[in-house]
Amino acid sequence: MEWPKMTTLRLVEYFRTQVRQDPEVPSAVAAIRTLLEFLKRDQSETILGLRENLTQTIRRLEEADSSVAVSSGGELFLRFISLTSLEHPDLSQCKKVMVERGELFLKKISLSRSKVAKLCHTFIKDGAKILTHSSSRVVLKVLESAAADKKRFTVYVTESQPDSAGRQMADKLQNLNIPVTVVLDAAVGYIMEKVDLVIVGAEGVVESGGIINKIGTYQLAVCSKAHNKPFYVVAESFKFVRLYPLNQQDVPERFKYKADTLKAVEDLAEEHPMIDYTPPSLITLLFTDLGVLTPSAVSDELIKLYL
Amino acid sequence: MYHRYVVVALSRRKPNEGKELTKEEKQRLRKQKKHQKKQKERKNEKGPSETEKDKTPVSLLPPPQPVATQKAPSALPAPASAPIPVPASAPFHSSPAPSPADKPAKSKAELKAERRARQETDRAAKQPGSSSSGIKTKVPLSELNPVVKRLPEHVQVDDPAVVKRLAKKLERQQIPLRSDYGYKVSLFSHLHQYSRKAPLTQLLSIPSTVIHPSIVRLGLQYSQGIVAGSNARSVALLHAFKQVIRDYTTPPNEELSRDLVNKLKPYISFLNQCRPLSASMGNAIKYIKKEISNIPSQCKEEEAKTKLLTCIDRYIEEKIVLAAKAISKYAIEKISDGDVILVYGYSSLVNNILCEAFEKSRKFRVIVVDSRPRLEGREALRRLVQRGISCTYVLISALSYILPEVSKVFLGAHALLANGYVMSRVGTSQIALVARTYNVPVLVCCETYKFCERVQTDSFVSNELDDPDDLMVTRKGKTQLENWQDVSSLGLLNLVYDVTPPDFVDLVITDLGMIPCTSVPVVLRVKNLDQ
C-alpha cells in the first residue's frame, strides 16, 4: 500500500510550496487548496471512503503545520463536503459539484481579508495610537487600508519572543511609511496608558467568543481591560473552530506547540507554549467578514455554520 | 355586513328604533350585558373610577368580531381579543388577570378606544350603511389586542380577584382549592405556601370521578416530595398521561383530538394545585397537547391512541435518555485526569455524567455540597460512592473553605431562561458566585427540553415556597421553633429555586453541543424553526 502514502507526502509538499510561494496566503486557505487538489485526484468509490481519506489527509496536514487555522479550515471543508454529499447521492456527480463549490468557496475566502480591513479601518481615528501583538497579516491589511484612507496614526508592536515576529511586522509597517515602535513583551503594562486601542489578529476563534493567538495576547488583553482600552480582534470567518476551552490548560496540546516540537520532544512540560487563550470577557469586538460581532454573537454564527 | 354593526349601535342608543334584530344579535346583546355586569363587579372591587372607562369600550368591541366572522353563533364567544375576558363557555385556562401594575396603562388605551368608538357610533348614526365604520372599528380592536402579557395566576396570590377567579375555575372543574398555610414573608406573599400535612387528596373523594387515579397518585407523590427533581417529575407525568390515554374512550359525537385535550385540563389544574408545574413539565404538556390536536379526525380511536403512546415514548427517549447520553459525551471531554469536581445537591444528569466518566477510567474525585432542609446531596453521595468514586461531603456553609481545592464545578439546572439565566435549586447561584471569585470554571448541564421562553432576572417574581415546617429541627428532643406560628413577628421562608446570571456560568452543555450561556435564545430560535 505504498501509493496512498506517497500521495499524502506529495500533498504535504504541495501545501508547503503553496505557503512558500505566496507568503500572504492564510494557512487555512492553503490547507483547503491542498484538500481540493486531493479531492480532484481521489480514487475512492464511496462517499464514506472519500470522507475517510479526507480526514486522514487533514490529520497529516495538522502534523505538518500545527496551527489552529489549518484545523479549522480542514473541519470547515469536511463539513462543506458532507453537506454537498447529502444533496447528491451519486458519487461522480457529487465530486463535480464539490470541486466547483470548492473553487467558489476559495475565491470567496480569499476576499475575506479585504472585507475585514474595510470594516475595521473606520474604527481607527485620526491621531490614534495603536498597540498590536506579534505579526498578523490581517492587522497589516487593516493598517494598510487605514493609511490609504489618509489617516495619521502611530503603531506600537510587541517584540513577541521567542521568534521575534514583532520585528518583521515593524519592518513591513515601516515600508508603508507608518511610524512604528517596537516594545518589549514585558513593557505592555508600561505602554498601555499611552495607547488608545489594541488590535490583534487571531489564529483561531473559539465557540465561547474567545480567541487563540500568539503567546502574550492574554496579558495584553488583561492589561487593556484594566486600563479600559478597547481590545479589538480581526479574524476571517474560516478561523472559527469548534473548541471550547475553559482556561489555559484546557487548550489541546496539539495546538500549543509547533509541529516539529510535538514530534521530537517527549516531555512537553519543558517546552514553552506558542499560543494562549484569551477569554471573551476581555474582548470588546471581533471584526470578521461576517460583520462586526460581539463575543456572544460568535456562538450564534457558529451554530449557523455548523448546525 | 356593516349594516348589522350600525344596527346594533343604533339599538343601543335608541332601543325602540332599529331594523331587524335577529336571534344572534339578541344573544349578542345579552352577552354584552352580562359582560358589563361582570366588568362592573370587578371594577367595583378595584375602585369606582375605572368602571366608566371600562364599560363603553367593552360593549362596543364585541360586535366587530361577529361581523368579521359572519354567522355561526358559536363564533360569538370568540376569545380573539384577550383583554376582554369572554364569559363562560370555554374553560379559561391561563386566567388572564390585569395585574394592578398594568391597570393605569390599560385604562389609557381603553380611554382612547372608548373615544374612538364613540366617534365611530356618531359617524355611523349620521351615515347609515357607510362602509368605513366597519374598517375603523377594527382599529380599536387591534389596539387593545394583546401586547399586554398576562401574569400567571400562581404569582398573584395576594390579589383577591385572581384568587376568586381561580376558585371559580377550579369549582367548574370540580377540583378542591388548596388553601395556604402559615404566615408568609411579605416579599413573597404573592406566592403560594402549602403545608405537606394537608395534601389535596384529603379533600377529594376516593375514588374520584373527575380525576384519573394515576393522576391522583402522581399529585400525591409530587406534594409529598416522593417524586422530586425536574427529569423525574416530567417522566412520571408522561407515564401517568400514557395511562390516561390508555383508559380513555371517546364519548359519542366528540372528536378525540378536542375532547382529550379538554379532559387533560382539569388534571393539569389538579397537579398544579398539588405542586406548581416545572418548566420541563410545561414543555412536555405543550408537546402532548400539540400531538393530540394534530390527530386527524378520520383516524380511528385505537390507532390514534397507539400513535399518541408511541409519541410520548419517543419524546422520553429522545429528549431525556438520548440527550443524557449526548451530554455525557461532551462533558467527559471536559473532565481531565486529576480533576476535583464540585457538585451541588442531586442532579440526575450530573450524576449520570460522573458515573460515565468514571467508567471511561477518568481519574477524578468529587466534592458534594449539600444544604438544608432538603439534604438532597446525600442521595447523590450515596449513588456516587456505590460506584466507587471517592467523594467528600460538605454543607454549603463550608463552600469558601473547600473551593481552593476545586478545579471544576458541575451544576444541574431546573430550567434555562431566554435571557441566559439559569434557574436551579436554591443555593446554586451562591455556588456560581463564589466559584467565579475563585476563578473556577462553572459548567451547567441541561437538556434542551428544559429551555423556556420566560425571562427572569431575580428570584422573587416567580418562585416556589415549600412547607415552612421543614425548617424546624428537633435536637435532643427539643424543637426550638415549635410554636413559630404564635410569634407574630416571625416568618419562616423555605425557598425552592433561584436564578443564576449568565456572567457566572462559563459553559452550558446541552444535547446540541457546548454553548455559552448567552446563546440560549439562539437554540430556542433554531428549535422553533425545526418545529
Side-chain angles (χ1 to χ4, degrees), chain A residues 233-290:
Chain A
V233 173
V234 286
E236 303 98 313
S237 64
F238 54 77
K239 289 190 179 152
F240 283 20
V241 65
R242 295 218 75 182
L243 278 179
Y244 203 128
L246 296 169
N247 46 30
Q248 304 298 339
Q249 271 187 323
D250 217 8
V251 181
E253 301 247 303
R254 62 182 201 274
F255 296 134
K256 279 199 215 171
Y257 310 99
K258 279 210 160 7
D260 320 318
T261 335
L262 282 169
K263 277 185 258 188
V265 175
E266 280 296 320
D267 184 14
L268 287 168
E270 298 283 311
E271 290 298 314
H272 298 288
M274 295 298 291
I275 55 161
D276 63 18
Y277 164 67
T278 307
S281 48
L282 302 173
I283 301 175
T284 323
L285 285 176
L286 286 114
F287 296 91
T288 67
D289 48 331
L290 301 167

Side-chain angles (χ1 to χ4, degrees), chain B residues 4-138:
Chain B
R4 206 169 294 155
Y5 166 80
V6 172
V7 165
V8 173
L10 284 175
S11 65
R12 224 171 297 107
R13 290 281 166 128
K14 303 157 200 165
N16 297 321
E17 272 192 28
K19 298 146 195 180
E20 350 150 299
L21 278 184
T22 58
K23 241 192 201 171
E24 301 158 45
E25 281 157 15
K26 285 193 194 141
Q27 254 186 344
R28 221 181 296 137
L29 281 174
R30 248 179 273 140
K31 285 221 161 81
Q32 281 164 33
K33 286 198 186 128
K34 250 202 223 167
H35 245 314
Q36 292 170 32
K37 261 199 211 155
K38 277 211 170 159
Q39 287 279 327
K40 249 195 195 166
E41 270 179 41
R42 216 173 288 130
K43 296 324 166 203
N44 279 335
E45 289 170 5
K46 295 278 154 82
S49 52
E50 299 180 335
T51 338
E52 281 283 298
K53 305 171 192 164
D54 282 83
K55 239 186 27 183
T56 12
V58 169
S59 54
L60 284 173
L61 285 169
Q65 290 178 29
V67 169
T69 56
Q70 285 285 312
K71 318 266 173 168
S74 57
L76 285 176
S81 60
I84 306 163
V86 179
S89 41
F92 222 22
H93 231 318
S94 50
S95 19
S99 66
D102 282 337
K103 269 282 138 175
K106 273 249 299 282
S107 55
K108 254 195 227 163
E110 282 169 354
L111 269 176
K112 250 199 200 167
E114 178 222 342
R115 243 180 282 134
R116 206 169 284 175
R118 229 184 272 148
Q119 285 176 4
E120 253 332 286
T121 47
D122 286 339
R123 215 171 295 146
K126 286 184 195 158
Q127 310 156 10
S130 61
S131 49
S132 57
S133 55
I135 303 168
K136 287 253 177 79
T137 51
K138 288 187 180 122

Side-chain angles (χ1 to χ4, degrees), chain B residues 366-430:
Chain B
V366 177
I367 299 180
V368 179
V369 176
D370 203 5
S371 70
R372 277 198 66 236
R374 287 183 172 233
L375 292 174
E376 288 169 329
R378 294 194 177 175
E379 180 62 30
L381 184 69
R382 192 178 64 86
R383 292 188 192 210
L384 291 173
V385 169
Q386 247 178 6
R387 292 298 190 109
I389 304 175
S390 48
C391 300
T392 313
Y393 178 83
V394 288
L395 287 180
I396 198 165
S397 29
L399 187 60
S400 46
Y401 170 77
I402 203 94
L403 254 170
E405 292 179 20
V406 175
S407 61
K408 290 194 177 74
V409 177
F410 272 80
L411 299 171
H414 169 86
L416 236 59
L417 306 173
N419 56 347
Y421 279 64
V422 179
M423 181 179 219
S424 188
R425 186 66 83 221
V426 66
T428 314
S429 61
Q430 194 175 331

Side-chain angles (χ1 to χ4, degrees), chain A residues 207 244 246 250 296 299-300, chain B residues 334 506-507 514 516 518-519 525:
Chain A
E207 274 193 78
Y244 203 128
L246 296 169
D250 217 8
S296 21
S299 167
D300 197 345
Chain B
K334 288 291 167 205
D506 289 298
L507 171 61
M514 297 190 267
T518 44
S519 290
R525 194 198 331 144

Side-chain angles (χ1 to χ4, degrees), chain B residues 175 178 194-196 198-202 204 206 211-228 233 236-237 240-241 266-277 281 464:
Chain B
I175 294 170
R178 200 174 183 189
Y194 299 129
S195 165
R196 200 161 293 134
L200 199 56
T201 45
Q202 279 180 351
L204 270 183
I206 307 272
I211 305 178
H212 193 279
S214 57
I215 301 281
V216 176
R217 184 176 65 175
L218 187 66
L220 197 59
Q221 284 172 331
Y222 281 166
S223 65
Q224 301 298 89
I226 299 172
V227 173
R233 284 166 73 188
L237 176 75
F241 274 177
Y267 299 164
I268 295 168
S269 306
F270 173 73
L271 290 175
N272 209 351
Q273 287 288 54
C274 291
R275 189 175 165 190
L277 296 180
M281 287 165 71
E464 194 186 321

